[in-house]
Amino acid sequence: KNGLLIGACGYCIYVCGFLISVVFLTFSPSLSWTIACTAAAIGGLAGGLLWTSQGRCFSHHAALFAISSGLPSEKVNSDFAALFATYFLGLEMAAKLLATVIYLIVPAEAPYLVFS
């Protein structure tokens, strides 16, 4: 659980780092570059920690569910993975579809609507 929390916080630092980098771009491009690279490194470490923690959490809860339901662990793992992929990829598709619709309706304001 701590790995999930630390990884999620690291991703927040990663995203905020790019915002800070853009703010400092006009004052000091070299500082902006340093902030962006540091944020990218933090994001990479956070991603590795988060994904590893998610895998451990996934397998732990799948095993618990298999024991409590009496189903084979292979079936539970495949069902859990299918649900995760459906939600994750479904939300990704919906977000990309919404961004496309916004670009088609208001192309001049689209970057500000989609990326803010």
Side-chain angles (χ1 to χ4, degrees):
K1 291 181 184 181
N2 290 335
L4 293 171
L5 180 63
I6 293 168
C9 289
Y11 265 141
C12 292
I13 294 170
Y14 168 65
V15 171
C16 290
F18 288 110
L19 174 65
I20 295 167
S21 175
V22 169
V23 169
F24 281 103
L25 186 61
T26 56
F27 303 116
S28 175
S30 61
L31 179 61
S32 176
W33 177 253
T34 303
I35 292 170
C37 289
T38 303
I42 291 170
L45 293 171
L49 181 62
L50 181 69
W51 298 333
T52 309
S53 299
Q54 283 177 336
R56 185 168 184 223
C57 184
F58 177 92
S59 63
H60 174 72
H61 287 92
L64 289 175
F65 187 79
I67 291 168
S68 68
S69 66
L71 295 170
S73 61
E74 295 83 13
K75 169 93 171 105
V76 172
N77 279 330
S78 65
D79 288 349
F80 277 19
L83 283 171
F84 171 78
T86 300
Y87 289 129
F88 184 75
L89 296 175
L91 288 172
E92 180 184 7
M93 182 194 65
K96 289 181 178 182
L97 182 62
L98 178 63
T100 302
V101 169
I102 290 172
Y103 268 96
L104 291 174
I105 293 173
V106 284
E109 292 85 16
Y112 303 107
L113 293 171
V114 172
F115 297 112
S116 60

